[in-house]
Amino acid sequence: MNTVYVKLRMKGNEVKYRKMLSTDEMVYADSSVLVESSYDYTAGATLENGEWFKVENASQQPYAIDLIQQNYETIDFDSLLRSDFNQIDYIFVKNGKEIHFQNVSKAKLASKKRLGSLGESFRYESDSKEIVINDIPDAIYCSETDVLYFRKLEPIVGIFKGIADLYREATEVETEQFLQNDFIALKNDYGAS
């Protein structure tokens, strides 16, 4: 059984999670299917199909969110109200020991007119609200191994606040230390600055 939850955009530091629905259908494939190989995150690196970046000991990282730091059950969350739909920040799907995350941008949070199918018939809806689900999640957290997998940093920055620090410029002190390595020969007044 897959359970789909949402995190609502709230003012301040208030975090609100809601249960959206449960389904017997697979929303996302397991990491064993999606993640063919993984590498420690390196800024600027490109990935091939089936390759993912990984962060080990994810629950111990400074950007770890409470969802990966503690266990929770369906009964811990209230049901999503229709009036909260436009406040959805991201969805997360719990499937066994894995949590799949997808950022919900304004483009993926659609509220518009549409023609839809309902069994053998069709119907017009003047205010249809839906979320477009990607085939591949933005991130996968595996609780058994405490590993967070992701393909791109940008979509998960809003989910894991502070994870952007994985990609940061070196401080001048760090640069000076690096330039002191034996394999580097500085010329023409080149320095850390």
Side-chain angles (χ1 to χ4, degrees), residues 68-92:
I68 66 174
Q69 291 178 322
Q70 52 192 300
N71 291 326
Y72 64 91
E73 298 297 327
T74 301
I75 60 170
D76 295 331
F77 303 117
D78 294 332
S79 294
L80 178 69
L81 302 174
R82 187 164 176 81
S83 60
D84 292 333
F85 188 83
N86 291 332
Q87 295 177 318
I88 295 174
D89 193 19
Y90 60 85
I91 63 170
F92 56 102

Side-chain angles (χ1 to χ4, degrees), residues 168-179:
R168 64 173 180 80
E169 291 187 31
T171 65
E172 191 165 338
V173 171
E174 291 169 329
T175 304
E176 285 174 4
Q177 289 173 346
F178 175 76
L179 293 175

Side-chain angles (χ1 to χ4, degrees), residues 35 37-42 47 51-58 61 63 140 145-151 163 166:
V35 181
S37 58
S38 60
Y39 308 96
D40 290 332
Y41 177 74
T42 304
L47 298 172
E51 294 180 337
W52 292 67
F53 292 119
K54 69 178 176 183
V55 174
E56 295 178 342
N57 301 313
Q61 301 300 326
Y63 47 80
I140 303 169
T145 57
D146 195 18
V147 174
L148 178 68
Y149 297 100
F150 61 95
R151 295 190 40 81
I163 197 167
L166 287 174

Side-chain angles (χ1 to χ4, degrees), residues 149-164:
Y149 297 100
F150 61 95
R151 295 190 40 81
K152 294 180 185 174
L153 194 59
E154 296 81 22
I156 65 170
V157 167
I159 299 171
F160 301 97
K161 308 280 191 238
I163 197 167

